[in-house]
Amino acid sequence: MAKQQTWGGRFSGGPAELVQEYTESVSYDRVMYAQDIAGSRAHALMLAKQGVLTDEEAALLVNGLETVKAEIERGEFVWRRDLEDVHMNIESRLTEIVGDVGKKLHTGRSRNDQVALDFRLFVSDRTRVWQGLARSLVAALLEKAETYRDTLLPGCTHMQPAQPVSLAQHLLAYAAMFQRDVSRLQDADKRIRVCPLGAAALAGTTYDLDPSFIAGELGMNGIFQNSMDAVSDRDFAAEAMFCGALIMAHLSRLCEDIIIWANPAFGFVLLPDGYATGSSIMPQKKNPDVAELMRGKTGRAYGALFGLLTTIKGLPMTYNRDLQEDKQPFIDQDRTISMSLEAMAGMIGELAFSRERMAAALARGFLNATELADYLVGKGIPFREAHHLTGAAVALAESEGKGLEELGLEALRSISGVIGEDVFAVLDMKNAVARRNTPGGTGPDPVAAQIAAVKAWLAKS
């Protein structure tokens, strides 16, 4: 049997070695050391304010906690598995530094509400990092959109050529996704940053505590509503991880476009060397491995979310040890999301687009067919009939191996006598894009408005 634990007063011995290894969490929850120390500092100050500790005792605790933090950040701190977790490791070292007063720090709190506080602070801090990384990605997309605002490419539905669109608008569509991600995280943070300290083990405490003081010290948005819920609630982690899963979904969609565009059959983008790899057997290959791996890691991020949801789905009230399994999924997802956002911003910044290959692609697939149908409607033909006539024109052009704009006036008039010389201006791809000036559309004016809106969003955020 191992040595007796800090909670082992009623036990004749410590846990078996295998059990100690099985139940420890310090190997991963040590990443929350800064949050644990911040929470303990606020708790000590609150205990002094409420007269539970003297001002001198609180000062000693605060100074000791700063010493522990410095040791950790210098890499001098010795993490002990027999102390189970980050909380007991820090408290034990604090007591070594300041003496018996260190044992008073835990007055009025349980590890249940302490863990909940630390994890909330950690999730909030990390999701705020995600926000900053997402903003950097939006800025990279904006820069590319400005560079290529006059470049056109085929816009697709069902992965088939549909209509000509601005490359800037295509990139700004992704910027809109990541802007929503930031907004979603900001909203979630209101619920994440709620102080549970004071709930104690489950029923509150007999000490005259002031949880609102701790919330103020830590920049939190308020305190718990119900002490039983406070120690068992992990909604905040699930909500954050859903936001993270959605970020990865958006990244994966962007990866898919990059992978397709990098294929020489498209040739729309040239992958930067720093974000591609070669083949061990085929010397000509330039593989979009970063985009592929990011697309694959999306499943990992989803799995982390579903792992947490599965852990909490059948738990009785209140705290249960199952909740120790809440941190590793978030820590893993955090690493995936943070690295993915940073890598994507770097890759977007170095992507080179081929205007020539995109222009060539516009000539295939009859992307101006809708323009011809709208033209016929403008001549008084009902839309359904105009749609049918345009289909006949496409069939004719296809049989001759031409684009609609390459058919002569006589050939077009064989489809409908209302067609005049003015049709060729309508069929021009640039004109087709320029006419789409409804809000949010692909025309020059709405694209300029979108660029201005993203710039304003970045400036205020």
PDB file of all heavy atoms in Angstrom, residues 370-405:
ATOM      1  N   THR A 370     -27.610  31.089 -66.257  1.00  0.00           N
ATOM      2  CA  THR A 370     -28.625  31.842 -65.513  1.00  0.00           C
ATOM      3  C   THR A 370     -28.766  33.254 -66.060  1.00  0.00           C
ATOM      4  O   THR A 370     -29.874  33.825 -66.057  1.00  0.00           O
ATOM      5  CB  THR A 370     -28.254  31.891 -64.017  1.00  0.00           C
ATOM      6  OG1 THR A 370     -28.109  30.555 -63.529  1.00  0.00           O
ATOM      7  CG2 THR A 370     -29.334  32.586 -63.208  1.00  0.00           C
ATOM      8  N   GLU A 371     -27.635  33.806 -66.547  1.00  0.00           N
ATOM      9  CA  GLU A 371     -27.692  35.162 -67.131  1.00  0.00           C
ATOM     10  C   GLU A 371     -28.593  35.173 -68.365  1.00  0.00           C
ATOM     11  O   GLU A 371     -29.368  36.120 -68.574  1.00  0.00           O
ATOM     12  CB  GLU A 371     -26.290  35.639 -67.509  1.00  0.00           C
ATOM     13  CG  GLU A 371     -25.256  35.551 -66.403  1.00  0.00           C
ATOM     14  CD  GLU A 371     -25.721  36.183 -65.122  1.00  0.00           C
ATOM     15  OE1 GLU A 371     -26.183  37.343 -65.161  1.00  0.00           O
ATOM     16  OE2 GLU A 371     -25.621  35.514 -64.077  1.00  0.00           O
ATOM     17  N   LEU A 372     -28.472  34.113 -69.190  1.00  0.00           N
ATOM     18  CA  LEU A 372     -29.312  34.040 -70.384  1.00  0.00           C
ATOM     19  C   LEU A 372     -30.777  33.890 -69.999  1.00  0.00           C
ATOM     20  O   LEU A 372     -31.649  34.547 -70.591  1.00  0.00           O
ATOM     21  CB  LEU A 372     -28.871  32.868 -71.268  1.00  0.00           C
ATOM     22  CG  LEU A 372     -29.682  32.659 -72.557  1.00  0.00           C
ATOM     23  CD1 LEU A 372     -29.678  33.925 -73.430  1.00  0.00           C
ATOM     24  CD2 LEU A 372     -29.155  31.451 -73.340  1.00  0.00           C
ATOM     25  N   ALA A 373     -31.062  33.065 -68.996  1.00  0.00           N
ATOM     26  CA  ALA A 373     -32.454  32.903 -68.559  1.00  0.00           C
ATOM     27  C   ALA A 373     -33.016  34.231 -68.047  1.00  0.00           C
ATOM     28  O   ALA A 373     -34.155  34.603 -68.386  1.00  0.00           O
ATOM     29  CB  ALA A 373     -32.532  31.834 -67.465  1.00  0.00           C
ATOM     30  N   ASP A 374     -32.226  34.958 -67.243  1.00  0.00           N
ATOM     31  CA  ASP A 374     -32.691  36.253 -66.747  1.00  0.00           C
ATOM     32  C   ASP A 374     -32.866  37.258 -67.880  1.00  0.00           C
ATOM     33  O   ASP A 374     -33.778  38.099 -67.850  1.00  0.00           O
ATOM     34  CB  ASP A 374     -31.692  36.797 -65.718  1.00  0.00           C
ATOM     35  CG  ASP A 374     -31.710  36.019 -64.408  1.00  0.00           C
ATOM     36  OD1 ASP A 374     -32.681  35.285 -64.167  1.00  0.00           O
ATOM     37  OD2 ASP A 374     -30.736  36.147 -63.633  1.00  0.00           O
ATOM     38  N   TYR A 375     -31.994  37.168 -68.873  1.00  0.00           N
ATOM     39  CA  TYR A 375     -32.096  38.042 -70.050  1.00  0.00           C
ATOM     40  C   TYR A 375     -33.434  37.810 -70.752  1.00  0.00           C
ATOM     41  O   TYR A 375     -34.138  38.770 -71.132  1.00  0.00           O
ATOM     42  CB  TYR A 375     -30.926  37.751 -70.990  1.00  0.00           C
ATOM     43  CG  TYR A 375     -31.018  38.421 -72.345  1.00  0.00           C
ATOM     44  CD1 TYR A 375     -30.558  39.718 -72.548  1.00  0.00           C
ATOM     45  CD2 TYR A 375     -31.550  37.743 -73.434  1.00  0.00           C
ATOM     46  CE1 TYR A 375     -30.630  40.329 -73.799  1.00  0.00           C
ATOM     47  CE2 TYR A 375     -31.633  38.328 -74.686  1.00  0.00           C
ATOM     48  CZ  TYR A 375     -31.175  39.625 -74.866  1.00  0.00           C
ATOM     49  OH  TYR A 375     -31.247  40.220 -76.114  1.00  0.00           O
ATOM     50  N   LEU A 376     -33.783  36.525 -70.933  1.00  0.00           N
ATOM     51  CA  LEU A 376     -35.039  36.204 -71.614  1.00  0.00           C
ATOM     52  C   LEU A 376     -36.241  36.679 -70.808  1.00  0.00           C
ATOM     53  O   LEU A 376     -37.234  37.160 -71.363  1.00  0.00           O
ATOM     54  CB  LEU A 376     -35.116  34.699 -71.856  1.00  0.00           C
ATOM     55  CG  LEU A 376     -34.103  34.142 -72.877  1.00  0.00           C
ATOM     56  CD1 LEU A 376     -34.133  32.619 -72.894  1.00  0.00           C
ATOM     57  CD2 LEU A 376     -34.393  34.688 -74.273  1.00  0.00           C
ATOM     58  N   VAL A 377     -36.151  36.555 -69.475  1.00  0.00           N
ATOM     59  CA  VAL A 377     -37.228  37.061 -68.618  1.00  0.00           C
ATOM     60  C   VAL A 377     -37.384  38.561 -68.825  1.00  0.00           C
ATOM     61  O   VAL A 377     -38.498  39.096 -68.874  1.00  0.00           O
ATOM     62  CB  VAL A 377     -36.943  36.728 -67.144  1.00  0.00           C
ATOM     63  CG1 VAL A 377     -37.895  37.479 -66.212  1.00  0.00           C
ATOM     64  CG2 VAL A 377     -37.049  35.229 -66.894  1.00  0.00           C
ATOM     65  N   GLY A 378     -36.232  39.254 -68.944  1.00  0.00           N
ATOM     66  CA  GLY A 378     -36.266  40.694 -69.182  1.00  0.00           C
ATOM     67  C   GLY A 378     -36.908  41.059 -70.506  1.00  0.00           C
ATOM     68  O   GLY A 378     -37.366  42.197 -70.687  1.00  0.00           O
ATOM     69  N   LYS A 379     -36.948  40.104 -71.413  1.00  0.00           N
ATOM     70  CA  LYS A 379     -37.589  40.326 -72.717  1.00  0.00           C
ATOM     71  C   LYS A 379     -39.058  39.934 -72.707  1.00  0.00           C
ATOM     72  O   LYS A 379     -39.714  39.917 -73.751  1.00  0.00           O
ATOM     73  CB  LYS A 379     -36.864  39.525 -73.791  1.00  0.00           C
ATOM     74  CG  LYS A 379     -35.416  39.940 -74.026  1.00  0.00           C
ATOM     75  CD  LYS A 379     -35.318  41.316 -74.673  1.00  0.00           C
ATOM     76  CE  LYS A 379     -33.869  41.661 -75.020  1.00  0.00           C
ATOM     77  NZ  LYS A 379     -33.744  42.983 -75.694  1.00  0.00           N
ATOM     78  N   GLY A 380     -39.583  39.597 -71.540  1.00  0.00           N
ATOM     79  CA  GLY A 380     -41.012  39.313 -71.417  1.00  0.00           C
ATOM     80  C   GLY A 380     -41.375  37.851 -71.428  1.00  0.00           C
ATOM     81  O   GLY A 380     -42.563  37.505 -71.394  1.00  0.00           O
ATOM     82  N   ILE A 381     -40.406  36.951 -71.445  1.00  0.00           N
ATOM     83  CA  ILE A 381     -40.694  35.521 -71.451  1.00  0.00           C
ATOM     84  C   ILE A 381     -40.819  35.029 -70.012  1.00  0.00           C
ATOM     85  O   ILE A 381     -39.961  35.338 -69.177  1.00  0.00           O
ATOM     86  CB  ILE A 381     -39.577  34.750 -72.202  1.00  0.00           C
ATOM     87  CG1 ILE A 381     -39.560  35.177 -73.677  1.00  0.00           C
ATOM     88  CG2 ILE A 381     -39.761  33.234 -72.090  1.00  0.00           C
ATOM     89  CD1 ILE A 381     -38.440  34.557 -74.480  1.00  0.00           C
ATOM     90  N   PRO A 382     -41.880  34.267 -69.706  1.00  0.00           N
ATOM     91  CA  PRO A 382     -42.020  33.744 -68.340  1.00  0.00           C
ATOM     92  C   PRO A 382     -40.799  32.907 -67.954  1.00  0.00           C
ATOM     93  O   PRO A 382     -40.210  32.234 -68.799  1.00  0.00           O
ATOM     94  CB  PRO A 382     -43.280  32.881 -68.421  1.00  0.00           C
ATOM     95  CG  PRO A 382     -44.042  33.418 -69.586  1.00  0.00           C
ATOM     96  CD  PRO A 382     -43.009  33.883 -70.569  1.00  0.00           C
ATOM     97  N   PHE A 383     -40.457  32.948 -66.639  1.00  0.00           N
ATOM     98  CA  PHE A 383     -39.211  32.317 -66.214  1.00  0.00           C
ATOM     99  C   PHE A 383     -39.156  30.838 -66.557  1.00  0.00           C
ATOM    100  O   PHE A 383     -38.115  30.336 -66.995  1.00  0.00           O
ATOM    101  CB  PHE A 383     -38.997  32.495 -64.697  1.00  0.00           C
ATOM    102  CG  PHE A 383     -37.742  31.818 -64.221  1.00  0.00           C
ATOM    103  CD1 PHE A 383     -36.499  32.398 -64.434  1.00  0.00           C
ATOM    104  CD2 PHE A 383     -37.797  30.569 -63.597  1.00  0.00           C
ATOM    105  CE1 PHE A 383     -35.330  31.762 -64.022  1.00  0.00           C
ATOM    106  CE2 PHE A 383     -36.628  29.930 -63.177  1.00  0.00           C
ATOM    107  CZ  PHE A 383     -35.394  30.532 -63.396  1.00  0.00           C
ATOM    108  N   ARG A 384     -40.227  30.089 -66.339  1.00  0.00           N
ATOM    109  CA  ARG A 384     -40.179  28.657 -66.612  1.00  0.00           C
ATOM    110  C   ARG A 384     -39.889  28.388 -68.084  1.00  0.00           C
ATOM    111  O   ARG A 384     -39.121  27.485 -68.426  1.00  0.00           O
ATOM    112  CB  ARG A 384     -41.497  27.993 -66.209  1.00  0.00           C
ATOM    113  CG  ARG A 384     -41.692  27.898 -64.710  1.00  0.00           C
ATOM    114  CD  ARG A 384     -40.583  27.081 -64.060  1.00  0.00           C
ATOM    115  NE  ARG A 384     -40.688  27.041 -62.610  1.00  0.00           N
ATOM    116  CZ  ARG A 384     -39.729  26.665 -61.805  1.00  0.00           C
ATOM    117  NH1 ARG A 384     -38.552  26.309 -62.300  1.00  0.00           N
ATOM    118  NH2 ARG A 384     -39.895  26.656 -60.507  1.00  0.00           N
ATOM    119  N   GLU A 385     -40.465  29.190 -68.966  1.00  0.00           N
ATOM    120  CA  GLU A 385     -40.193  29.027 -70.399  1.00  0.00           C
ATOM    121  C   GLU A 385     -38.761  29.465 -70.713  1.00  0.00           C
ATOM    122  O   GLU A 385     -38.060  28.831 -71.511  1.00  0.00           O
ATOM    123  CB  GLU A 385     -41.190  29.850 -71.217  1.00  0.00           C
ATOM    124  CG  GLU A 385     -41.043  29.655 -72.727  1.00  0.00           C
ATOM    125  CD  GLU A 385     -42.055  30.458 -73.535  1.00  0.00           C
ATOM    126  OE1 GLU A 385     -43.037  30.936 -72.937  1.00  0.00           O
ATOM    127  OE2 GLU A 385     -41.850  30.606 -74.750  1.00  0.00           O
ATOM    128  N   ALA A 386     -38.312  30.558 -70.048  1.00  0.00           N
ATOM    129  CA  ALA A 386     -36.946  31.030 -70.258  1.00  0.00           C
ATOM    130  C   ALA A 386     -35.944  29.971 -69.792  1.00  0.00           C
ATOM    131  O   ALA A 386     -34.904  29.754 -70.432  1.00  0.00           O
ATOM    132  CB  ALA A 386     -36.730  32.334 -69.486  1.00  0.00           C
ATOM    133  N   HIS A 387     -36.260  29.302 -68.706  1.00  0.00           N
ATOM    134  CA  HIS A 387     -35.405  28.226 -68.195  1.00  0.00           C
ATOM    135  C   HIS A 387     -35.295  27.114 -69.226  1.00  0.00           C
ATOM    136  O   HIS A 387     -34.196  26.590 -69.500  1.00  0.00           O
ATOM    137  CB  HIS A 387     -36.014  27.706 -66.889  1.00  0.00           C
ATOM    138  CG  HIS A 387     -35.175  26.699 -66.160  1.00  0.00           C
ATOM    139  ND1 HIS A 387     -35.072  25.386 -66.573  1.00  0.00           N
ATOM    140  CD2 HIS A 387     -34.411  26.809 -65.044  1.00  0.00           C
ATOM    141  CE1 HIS A 387     -34.281  24.727 -65.744  1.00  0.00           C
ATOM    142  NE2 HIS A 387     -33.861  25.570 -64.797  1.00  0.00           N
ATOM    143  N   HIS A 388     -36.426  26.741 -69.842  1.00  0.00           N
ATOM    144  CA  HIS A 388     -36.433  25.683 -70.849  1.00  0.00           C
ATOM    145  C   HIS A 388     -35.637  26.091 -72.084  1.00  0.00           C
ATOM    146  O   HIS A 388     -34.840  25.310 -72.626  1.00  0.00           O
ATOM    147  CB  HIS A 388     -37.885  25.363 -71.234  1.00  0.00           C
ATOM    148  CG  HIS A 388     -38.009  24.303 -72.272  1.00  0.00           C
ATOM    149  ND1 HIS A 388     -37.865  22.959 -72.003  1.00  0.00           N
ATOM    150  CD2 HIS A 388     -38.232  24.398 -73.621  1.00  0.00           C
ATOM    151  CE1 HIS A 388     -38.003  22.263 -73.121  1.00  0.00           C
ATOM    152  NE2 HIS A 388     -38.231  23.119 -74.118  1.00  0.00           N
ATOM    153  N   LEU A 389     -35.829  27.321 -72.525  1.00  0.00           N
ATOM    154  CA  LEU A 389     -35.110  27.798 -73.706  1.00  0.00           C
ATOM    155  C   LEU A 389     -33.604  27.866 -73.444  1.00  0.00           C
ATOM    156  O   LEU A 389     -32.797  27.540 -74.325  1.00  0.00           O
ATOM    157  CB  LEU A 389     -35.633  29.174 -74.104  1.00  0.00           C
ATOM    158  CG  LEU A 389     -37.066  29.220 -74.644  1.00  0.00           C
ATOM    159  CD1 LEU A 389     -37.527  30.665 -74.810  1.00  0.00           C
ATOM    160  CD2 LEU A 389     -37.176  28.473 -75.978  1.00  0.00           C
ATOM    161  N   THR A 390     -33.236  28.286 -72.269  1.00  0.00           N
ATOM    162  CA  THR A 390     -31.811  28.346 -71.920  1.00  0.00           C
ATOM    163  C   THR A 390     -31.206  26.947 -71.918  1.00  0.00           C
ATOM    164  O   THR A 390     -30.072  26.743 -72.365  1.00  0.00           O
ATOM    165  CB  THR A 390     -31.613  29.017 -70.559  1.00  0.00           C
ATOM    166  OG1 THR A 390     -32.138  30.347 -70.611  1.00  0.00           O
ATOM    167  CG2 THR A 390     -30.137  29.071 -70.183  1.00  0.00           C
ATOM    168  N   GLY A 391     -31.942  25.969 -71.411  1.00  0.00           N
ATOM    169  CA  GLY A 391     -31.467  24.590 -71.448  1.00  0.00           C
ATOM    170  C   GLY A 391     -31.218  24.126 -72.872  1.00  0.00           C
ATOM    171  O   GLY A 391     -30.230  23.420 -73.144  1.00  0.00           O
ATOM    172  N   ALA A 392     -32.088  24.532 -73.783  1.00  0.00           N
ATOM    173  CA  ALA A 392     -31.897  24.174 -75.191  1.00  0.00           C
ATOM    174  C   ALA A 392     -30.644  24.846 -75.754  1.00  0.00           C
ATOM    175  O   ALA A 392     -29.897  24.245 -76.539  1.00  0.00           O
ATOM    176  CB  ALA A 392     -33.131  24.579 -75.994  1.00  0.00           C
ATOM    177  N   ALA A 393     -30.393  26.086 -75.335  1.00  0.00           N
ATOM    178  CA  ALA A 393     -29.200  26.793 -75.797  1.00  0.00           C
ATOM    179  C   ALA A 393     -27.939  26.107 -75.269  1.00  0.00           C
ATOM    180  O   ALA A 393     -26.934  25.984 -75.990  1.00  0.00           O
ATOM    181  CB  ALA A 393     -29.251  28.244 -75.330  1.00  0.00           C
ATOM    182  N   VAL A 394     -27.976  25.650 -74.009  1.00  0.00           N
ATOM    183  CA  VAL A 394     -26.833  24.933 -73.443  1.00  0.00           C
ATOM    184  C   VAL A 394     -26.582  23.647 -74.220  1.00  0.00           C
ATOM    185  O   VAL A 394     -25.431  23.308 -74.529  1.00  0.00           O
ATOM    186  CB  VAL A 394     -27.080  24.631 -71.945  1.00  0.00           C
ATOM    187  CG1 VAL A 394     -26.050  23.636 -71.416  1.00  0.00           C
ATOM    188  CG2 VAL A 394     -27.036  25.912 -71.133  1.00  0.00           C
ATOM    189  N   ALA A 395     -27.648  22.914 -74.534  1.00  0.00           N
ATOM    190  CA  ALA A 395     -27.498  21.670 -75.302  1.00  0.00           C
ATOM    191  C   ALA A 395     -26.881  21.948 -76.663  1.00  0.00           C
ATOM    192  O   ALA A 395     -26.019  21.182 -77.141  1.00  0.00           O
ATOM    193  CB  ALA A 395     -28.854  20.986 -75.456  1.00  0.00           C
ATOM    194  N   LEU A 396     -27.303  23.039 -77.306  1.00  0.00           N
ATOM    195  CA  LEU A 396     -26.739  23.399 -78.605  1.00  0.00           C
ATOM    196  C   LEU A 396     -25.256  23.740 -78.487  1.00  0.00           C
ATOM    197  O   LEU A 396     -24.420  23.254 -79.266  1.00  0.00           O
ATOM    198  CB  LEU A 396     -27.507  24.599 -79.186  1.00  0.00           C
ATOM    199  CG  LEU A 396     -26.962  25.189 -80.499  1.00  0.00           C
ATOM    200  CD1 LEU A 396     -26.988  24.142 -81.624  1.00  0.00           C
ATOM    201  CD2 LEU A 396     -27.765  26.435 -80.894  1.00  0.00           C
ATOM    202  N   ALA A 397     -24.906  24.562 -77.510  1.00  0.00           N
ATOM    203  CA  ALA A 397     -23.507  24.939 -77.320  1.00  0.00           C
ATOM    204  C   ALA A 397     -22.655  23.709 -76.981  1.00  0.00           C
ATOM    205  O   ALA A 397     -21.530  23.559 -77.481  1.00  0.00           O
ATOM    206  CB  ALA A 397     -23.402  25.980 -76.202  1.00  0.00           C
ATOM    207  N   GLU A 398     -23.198  22.819 -76.160  1.00  0.00           N
ATOM    208  CA  GLU A 398     -22.462  21.621 -75.778  1.00  0.00           C
ATOM    209  C   GLU A 398     -22.197  20.737 -76.991  1.00  0.00           C
ATOM    210  O   GLU A 398     -21.107  20.171 -77.144  1.00  0.00           O
ATOM    211  CB  GLU A 398     -23.261  20.857 -74.719  1.00  0.00           C
ATOM    212  CG  GLU A 398     -22.501  19.758 -74.013  1.00  0.00           C
ATOM    213  CD  GLU A 398     -23.261  19.207 -72.822  1.00  0.00           C
ATOM    214  OE1 GLU A 398     -24.505  19.065 -72.924  1.00  0.00           O
ATOM    215  OE2 GLU A 398     -22.620  18.942 -71.786  1.00  0.00           O
ATOM    216  N   SER A 399     -23.185  20.648 -77.881  1.00  0.00           N
ATOM    217  CA  SER A 399     -23.019  19.811 -79.074  1.00  0.00           C
ATOM    218  C   SER A 399     -21.958  20.367 -80.016  1.00  0.00           C
ATOM    219  O   SER A 399     -21.334  19.620 -80.775  1.00  0.00           O
ATOM    220  CB  SER A 399     -24.352  19.687 -79.817  1.00  0.00           C
ATOM    221  OG  SER A 399     -24.731  20.937 -80.397  1.00  0.00           O
ATOM    222  N   GLU A 400     -21.744  21.674 -79.953  1.00  0.00           N
ATOM    223  CA  GLU A 400     -20.742  22.317 -80.811  1.00  0.00           C
ATOM    224  C   GLU A 400     -19.411  22.537 -80.096  1.00  0.00           C
ATOM    225  O   GLU A 400     -18.477  23.100 -80.690  1.00  0.00           O
ATOM    226  CB  GLU A 400     -21.275  23.653 -81.327  1.00  0.00           C
ATOM    227  CG  GLU A 400     -22.518  23.519 -82.213  1.00  0.00           C
ATOM    228  CD  GLU A 400     -22.954  24.848 -82.810  1.00  0.00           C
ATOM    229  OE1 GLU A 400     -22.187  25.826 -82.696  1.00  0.00           O
ATOM    230  OE2 GLU A 400     -24.068  24.904 -83.392  1.00  0.00           O
ATOM    231  N   GLY A 401     -19.342  22.105 -78.831  1.00  0.00           N
ATOM    232  CA  GLY A 401     -18.102  22.276 -78.079  1.00  0.00           C
ATOM    233  C   GLY A 401     -17.774  23.733 -77.800  1.00  0.00           C
ATOM    234  O   GLY A 401     -16.593  24.114 -77.771  1.00  0.00           O
ATOM    235  N   LYS A 402     -18.780  24.527 -77.567  1.00  0.00           N
ATOM    236  CA  LYS A 402     -18.582  25.957 -77.330  1.00  0.00           C
ATOM    237  C   LYS A 402     -19.235  26.379 -76.017  1.00  0.00           C
ATOM    238  O   LYS A 402     -20.064  25.662 -75.461  1.00  0.00           O
ATOM    239  CB  LYS A 402     -19.215  26.772 -78.471  1.00  0.00           C
ATOM    240  CG  LYS A 402     -18.615  26.544 -79.841  1.00  0.00           C
ATOM    241  CD  LYS A 402     -19.353  27.373 -80.887  1.00  0.00           C
ATOM    242  CE  LYS A 402     -18.750  27.201 -82.277  1.00  0.00           C
ATOM    243  NZ  LYS A 402     -19.508  27.978 -83.300  1.00  0.00           N
ATOM    244  N   GLY A 403     -18.887  27.584 -75.573  1.00  0.00           N
ATOM    245  CA  GLY A 403     -19.598  28.206 -74.487  1.00  0.00           C
ATOM    246  C   GLY A 403     -20.774  28.991 -75.043  1.00  0.00           C
ATOM    247  O   GLY A 403     -20.829  29.282 -76.247  1.00  0.00           O
ATOM    248  N   LEU A 404     -21.726  29.354 -74.195  1.00  0.00           N
ATOM    249  CA  LEU A 404     -22.873  30.134 -74.664  1.00  0.00           C
ATOM    250  C   LEU A 404     -22.431  31.435 -75.318  1.00  0.00           C
ATOM    251  O   LEU A 404     -22.992  31.865 -76.348  1.00  0.00           O
ATOM    252  CB  LEU A 404     -23.810  30.445 -73.492  1.00  0.00           C
ATOM    253  CG  LEU A 404     -24.643  29.288 -72.940  1.00  0.00           C
ATOM    254  CD1 LEU A 404     -25.382  29.725 -71.677  1.00  0.00           C
ATOM    255  CD2 LEU A 404     -25.638  28.787 -73.986  1.00  0.00           C
ATOM    256  N   GLU A 405     -21.413  32.064 -74.730  1.00  0.00           N
ATOM    257  CA  GLU A 405     -20.931  33.346 -75.256  1.00  0.00           C
ATOM    258  C   GLU A 405     -20.237  33.198 -76.605  1.00  0.00           C
ATOM    259  O   GLU A 405     -20.014  34.202 -77.300  1.00  0.00           O
ATOM    260  CB  GLU A 405     -20.001  34.003 -74.237  1.00  0.00           C
ATOM    261  CG  GLU A 405     -18.654  33.322 -74.018  1.00  0.00           C
ATOM    262  CD  GLU A 405     -18.726  32.101 -73.126  1.00  0.00           C
ATOM    263  OE1 GLU A 405     -19.843  31.750 -72.675  1.00  0.00           O
ATOM    264  OE2 GLU A 405     -17.660  31.505 -72.882  1.00  0.00           O
TER     265      GLU A 405
END
